[in-house]
């Protein structure tokens, strides 16, 4: 801490004997204070990355810090001239995402982070990654798409609450039936184009209705007093609608190309997708859905290769799947789904990277309850000659010591390589040490945790506690289409973290991106020893992971050079470059 400029103390301070900031013993205190702060920072998970920064990168990080500080005093005040005040909303950096989003996207820091090389996306559910507006356009422009409902959608309440799904049908091109009329019979198929034309608000109203049924609105995300179960009820219903549209082959293929482009445009080069494979897949022009998932994986494999063959896809490293099973399944359904996973792994070994169970932890079976099936699964994998490691969701809850919170214990004991969310991990000092010792990465999803009511804003998120304790972390976006993010990628999560956590900075974000490349599932079928060695060696090792970490480091340095050139007016004589 720098001492204040020397000046003559007021007479009353001298009379009272009040110490001055420049007094030697006060300066000694400040020195001890700074030493203590630095001692704590040395324990951070990003400390080694910070120490490895080149002078050029350090200067870029300092520039971003100055831009951030400027925006705190301008953009994030209600007096900012370029934005009209919003009634009932006080603006501040790190405010609730749904309230900050519009202003955030106009900031310089957001534009900077859009260009940042972000490495790998390690936690993302594909069913919730294709924005609803695009899917509805595909729905209405794809021949043969129909919908059905569990009841007539003749009232506003019915349109909000009824079960609605979409599918393909080659024979139904017109109908006199209106799904919006009380005469509609539950389960009756209606062409999507006809339903759109007959919607009470017309085609525009139909599109807005489907989007509203497929996303969590700002009001829904802000109403934290309704609790977690209420928002999860809406959350689950979104997957049913989006999944039923996405699972028709022509729409699926078009959506993949859009998804790959969006992720690449946001500075990502790899993705570990999760998908529950519950909804059946409909091949093009087929009136009956496939019983298995082979056709989906074949289509995915073809579209991935097609994208990588394009000019914009050349620097896209690729992607794999972490097969996910719903944790609400009983034993028989769980076992059958596990069998499907093994069969797909044998058919597409390069696409299946791991296994997970998903769904609201508070409402589903715990990992402890699932342990017999999980051990059976590992045994069947060995018998089939395949390796499918665990990447478990755990700790996505508010509990402290209840059976849901204890999923963290089981995830670690069962050998998970990464932990999805790990929101409640900060409450467990022993588990924190085990996670560090075993080099288990936390897939943190701050915007998701906020929208799904685990935390009120980025400022109250517990992730800084994990970073301060040395836990390896990567930022992820989880379910951007459902959560109202609007764009695929990680810029929004990166921006929220930068604004909300003073200790992070651009250098901290760089460390999180570096971690994402270190912990991605690049290498096929590594045993635990090989995986651990790869993680430990990082860019100094051999193989695909080390090569890609070095590639990312080169891109990071190019990005830092761009910042220095683009924002030279924020440079200082104190900078290293």
């Amino acid at each position: 801490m720098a001492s204040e400029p020397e000046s003559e103390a007021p007479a009353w301070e001298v009379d009272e004997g009040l110490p001055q900031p420049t007094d030697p013993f006060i300066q000694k205190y400040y020195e001890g204070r700074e030493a203590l702060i630095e001692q704590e920072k040395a324990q951070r998970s990003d400390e080694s990355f910070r120490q490895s920064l080149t002078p050029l990168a350090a200067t870029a990080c300092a520039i971003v810090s100055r831009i951030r500080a400027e925006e705190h005093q301008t953009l994030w005040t209600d007096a900012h001239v370029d934005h009209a005040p919003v009634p009932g909303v006080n603006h501040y950096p790190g405010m609730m995402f749904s309230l900050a989003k519009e202003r955030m996207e106009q900031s310089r820091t957001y534009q900077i982070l859009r260009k940042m090389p972000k490495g790998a996306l390690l936690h993302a559910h594909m069913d919730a990654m294709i924005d609803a507006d695009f899917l509805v356009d595909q729905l209405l422009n794809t021949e043969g798409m129909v919908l059905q409902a569990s009841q007539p959608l003749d009232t506003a309440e019915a349109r909000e609450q009824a079960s609605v799904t979409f599918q393909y049908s080659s024979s139904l091109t017109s109908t006199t039936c209106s799904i919006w009329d009380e005469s509609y019979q539950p389960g009756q198929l209606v062409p999507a184009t006809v339903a759109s034309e007959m919607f009470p608000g017309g085609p525009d109203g139909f599109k807005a209705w489907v989007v509203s049924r497929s996303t969590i609105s700002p009001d829904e995300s802000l109403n934290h007093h309704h609790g977690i179960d209420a928002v999860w009820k809406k959350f689950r219903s979104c997957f049913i609608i989006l999944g039923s549209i996405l699972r028709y082959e022509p729409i699926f293929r078009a959506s993949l190309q859009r998804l790959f482009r969006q992720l690449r445009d946001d500075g990502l080069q790899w993705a570990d997708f999760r998908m529950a494979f519950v909804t059946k897949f409909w091949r093009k022009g087929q009136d009956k859905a496939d019983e298995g998932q082979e056709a989906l994986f074949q289509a995915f494999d073809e579209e991935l290769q097609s994208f990588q063959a394009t000019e914009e896809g050349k620097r896209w490293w690729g992607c794999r799947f972490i097969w996910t099973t719903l944790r609400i399944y009983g034993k028989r359904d769980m076992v059958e789904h596990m069998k499907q996973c093994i069969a797909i792994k044998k058919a597409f070994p390069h696409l299946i990277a791991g296994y997970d169970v998903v769904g609201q932890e508070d409402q589903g079976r715990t990992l402890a309850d699932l342990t017999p099936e999980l051990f059976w699964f590992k045994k069947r994998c060995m018998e089939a000659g395949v390796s499918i490691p665990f990447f478990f969701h755990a700790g996505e809850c508010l509990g402290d010591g209840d059976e849901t919170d204890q999923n963290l214990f089981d995830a670690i004991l069962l050998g998970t390589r990464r932990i999805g969310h790990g929101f409640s991990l900060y409450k467990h000092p022993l588990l924190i040490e085990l996670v560090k010792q075993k080099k288990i990465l936390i897939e943190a999803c701050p915007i998701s945790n906020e929208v799904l009511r685990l935390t009120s804003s980025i400022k109250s998120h517990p992730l800084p506690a994990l970073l301060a304790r040395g836990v390896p972390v990567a930022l992820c976006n989880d379910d951007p289409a459902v959560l109202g993010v609007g764009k695929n990628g990680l810029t929004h999560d990166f921006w929220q973290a930068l604004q909300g956590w003073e200790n992070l900075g651009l250098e901290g974000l760089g460390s999180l991106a570096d971690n994402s490349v270190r912990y991605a599932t690049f290498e096929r079928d590594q045993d635990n020893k090989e995986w651990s060695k790869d993680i430990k060696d990082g860019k100094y090792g051999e193989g695909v992971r080390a090569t890609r970490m070095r590639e990312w480091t080169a891109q990071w340095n190019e990005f830092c050079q761009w910042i220095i050139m683009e924002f030279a007016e924020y440079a200082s004589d104190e900078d290293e470059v």
Side-chain angles (χ1 to χ4, degrees):
M1 178 176 178
S3 61
E4 296 180 4
E6 290 192 35
S7 60
E8 187 174 344
W12 74 267
E13 292 187 15
V14 175
D15 291 343
E16 293 289 347
L18 188 69
Q20 298 301 304
T22 55
D23 289 349
F25 76 96
I26 295 293
Q27 286 295 304
K28 191 70 174 177
Y29 170 82
Y30 287 149
E31 291 171 5
R33 177 180 182 275
E34 289 299 314
L36 184 59
I37 292 173
E38 291 304 314
Q39 183 180 350
E40 182 184 74
K41 287 184 176 180
Q43 300 179 29
R44 291 179 58 86
S45 61
D46 53 17
E47 178 62 13
S48 62
F49 184 86
R50 292 171 186 270
Q51 293 300 321
S52 70
L53 288 176
T54 64
L56 179 146
T59 297
C61 293
I63 287 174
V64 171
S65 292
R66 294 182 193 116
I67 296 173
R68 173 182 180 270
E70 179 182 87
E71 290 181 347
H72 280 200
Q73 300 302 316
T74 55
L75 184 63
W76 293 102
T77 64
D78 288 324
H80 187 56
V81 295
D82 291 339
H83 293 81
V86 179
V89 177
N90 294 315
H91 289 91
Y92 59 90
M95 65 188 294
M96 298 180 86
F97 169 73
S98 58
L99 296 176
K101 182 175 178 291
E102 181 179 355
R103 190 170 291 204
M104 168 201 308
E105 292 174 351
Q106 298 177 39
S107 69
R108 280 187 168 183
T109 46
Y110 181 86
Q111 301 309 319
I112 290 171
L113 294 181
R114 276 282 293 169
K115 289 183 174 292
M116 178 179 170
K118 302 179 184 70
L121 175 57
L122 303 184
H123 187 117
H125 298 269
M126 182 178 285
D127 284 325
M129 296 193 73
I130 313 301
D131 51 289
D133 288 289
F134 174 79
L135 281 180
V136 176
D137 287 340
Q138 291 292 307
L139 169 74
L140 296 176
N141 288 300
T142 301
E143 185 178 355
M145 292 302 292
V146 299
L147 74 156
Q148 60 177 310
S150 58
Q151 65 183 82
L153 305 181
D154 57 330
T155 66
E157 182 180 4
R159 289 191 287 273
E160 183 178 346
Q161 300 293 335
S163 173
V164 177
T165 57
F166 297 85
Q167 67 180 68
Y168 172 80
S169 173
S170 64
S171 57
L172 190 65
T173 57
S174 63
T175 181
T176 58
C177 168
S178 172
I179 199 170
W180 319 113
D181 188 82
E182 61 180 4
S183 63
Y184 172 79
Q185 296 299 309
Q188 188 174 358
L189 297 177
V190 176
T193 51
V194 173
S196 174
E197 291 294 334
M198 299 180 71
F199 187 80
D204 290 341
F206 176 80
K207 182 174 181 178
W209 169 71
V210 178
V211 171
S212 72
R213 287 295 308 269
S214 307
T215 56
I216 296 175
S217 71
D219 284 344
E220 289 167 330
S221 71
L222 292 174
N223 290 332
H224 279 235
H225 59 285
H226 290 308
I228 293 175
D229 290 350
V231 76
W232 264 89
K233 181 180 179 182
K234 171 63 182 290
F235 186 57
R236 286 191 295 269
S237 71
C238 295
F239 279 82
I240 295 171
I241 294 174
L242 292 173
S244 67
I245 301 174
L246 183 62
R247 289 306 203 284
Y248 182 49
E249 184 179 356
I251 297 178
F252 182 68
R253 288 180 179 271
S255 298
L256 288 178
Q257 291 300 319
R258 177 180 173 85
L259 176 59
F260 296 151
R261 286 195 304 272
Q262 287 183 329
L263 295 179
R264 185 66 198 94
D265 289 345
D266 197 61
L268 286 155
Q269 294 179 269
W270 178 271
D272 284 338
F273 294 122
R274 282 172 166 85
M275 208 168 187
F277 305 107
V278 175
T279 306
K280 293 182 178 181
F281 188 73
W282 298 69
R283 299 193 200 204
K284 182 178 180 180
Q286 298 298 308
D287 283 311
K288 185 177 181 182
D290 281 22
E291 290 300 319
Q293 299 292 337
E294 288 81 3
L296 181 150
F297 276 89
Q298 185 62 45
F300 181 89
D301 203 15
E302 292 170 1
E303 293 304 318
L304 174 58
Q305 292 179 43
S306 174
F307 178 71
Q308 289 181 304
T310 65
E311 188 63 31
E312 61 184 332
K314 286 181 178 178
R315 296 182 70 182
W316 176 249
W317 292 332
C319 40
R320 300 180 77 188
F321 280 104
I322 295 171
W323 182 286
T324 60
T325 301
L326 298 181
R327 62 189 328 125
I328 60 171
Y329 278 178
K331 288 191 175 184
R332 182 174 294 279
D333 287 338
M334 183 70 65
V335 166
E336 290 303 316
H337 211 247
M338 288 174 166
K339 288 180 180 178
Q340 288 183 48
C341 174
I342 294 172
I344 292 295
K345 173 65 176 180
K346 294 181 73 173
F348 301 92
H350 58 297
L351 292 182
I352 296 295
Y355 182 84
D356 188 12
V357 288
V358 298
Q360 186 182 0
E361 285 188 69
D362 290 314
Q363 298 292 323
R365 296 174 64 191
T366 63
L367 291 178
D369 185 47
L370 288 166
T371 298
E373 292 100 300
L374 293 170
F375 273 97
W376 176 88
F377 176 71
K378 297 302 288 185
K379 179 183 177 183
R380 291 298 295 264
C381 286
M382 291 179 61
E383 293 171 351
V386 297
S387 173
I388 309 178
F390 293 141
F391 293 84
F392 286 130
H393 277 67
E396 188 185 4
C397 60
L398 291 175
D400 178 21
D402 59 17
E403 62 179 10
T404 305
D405 179 47
Q406 289 176 356
N407 279 333
L408 287 165
F409 289 83
D410 295 289
I412 294 170
L413 288 171
L414 290 166
T416 192
R417 291 184 174 179
R418 305 193 307 245
I419 292 177
H421 294 282
F423 185 87
S424 65
L425 179 62
Y426 74 100
K427 305 170 187 175
H428 300 281
L430 176 60
L431 297 189
I432 286 175
E433 293 306 312
L434 283 174
V435 164
K436 290 160 58 179
Q437 175 189 329
K438 295 177 178 293
K439 293 182 169 53
I440 300 171
L441 176 123
I442 304 301
E443 305 162 352
C445 309
I447 291 177
S448 171
N449 297 154
E450 180 187 320
V451 175
L452 295 180
R453 301 178 183 169
L454 292 178
T455 182
S456 60
S457 73
I458 192 71
K459 283 185 170 292
S460 56
H461 198 284
L463 187 57
L466 299 183
L467 295 174
R469 292 290 300 272
V471 174
V473 174
L475 290 184
C476 309
N477 65 8
D478 202 14
D479 312 282
V482 173
L483 300 175
V485 175
K487 297 178 182 178
N488 261 306
L490 284 174
T491 299
H492 289 91
D493 287 274
F494 272 52
W495 190 94
Q496 282 285 83
L498 178 69
Q499 298 298 329
W501 306 330
E502 198 68 34
N503 272 335
L504 194 66
L506 182 64
E507 52 270 59
L509 291 178
S511 173
L512 297 175
D514 182 71
N515 281 343
S516 74
V517 183
R518 183 186 296 267
Y519 280 85
T521 63
F522 300 131
E523 304 278 6
R524 295 188 201 173
D525 298 347
Q526 288 183 306
D527 60 30
N528 289 334
K529 184 177 180 180
E530 292 168 332
W531 169 269
S532 296
K533 185 178 186 303
D534 244 13
I535 299 300
K536 181 180 179 181
D537 291 346
K539 64 183 178 183
Y540 301 107
E542 300 177 354
V544 175
R545 189 182 314 280
T547 298
R548 288 176 176 166
M549 288 190 71
R550 290 192 288 268
E551 286 181 31
W552 180 85
T553 300
Q555 294 164 14
W556 161 260
N557 287 324
E558 291 175 8
F559 167 66
C560 291
Q561 178 68 62
W562 171 81
I563 291 175
I564 294 172
M565 299 295 291
E566 189 73 14
F567 301 97
E569 69 270 26
Y570 288 93
S572 167
D573 292 340
E574 298 177 0
D575 293 334
E576 297 183 57
V577 174

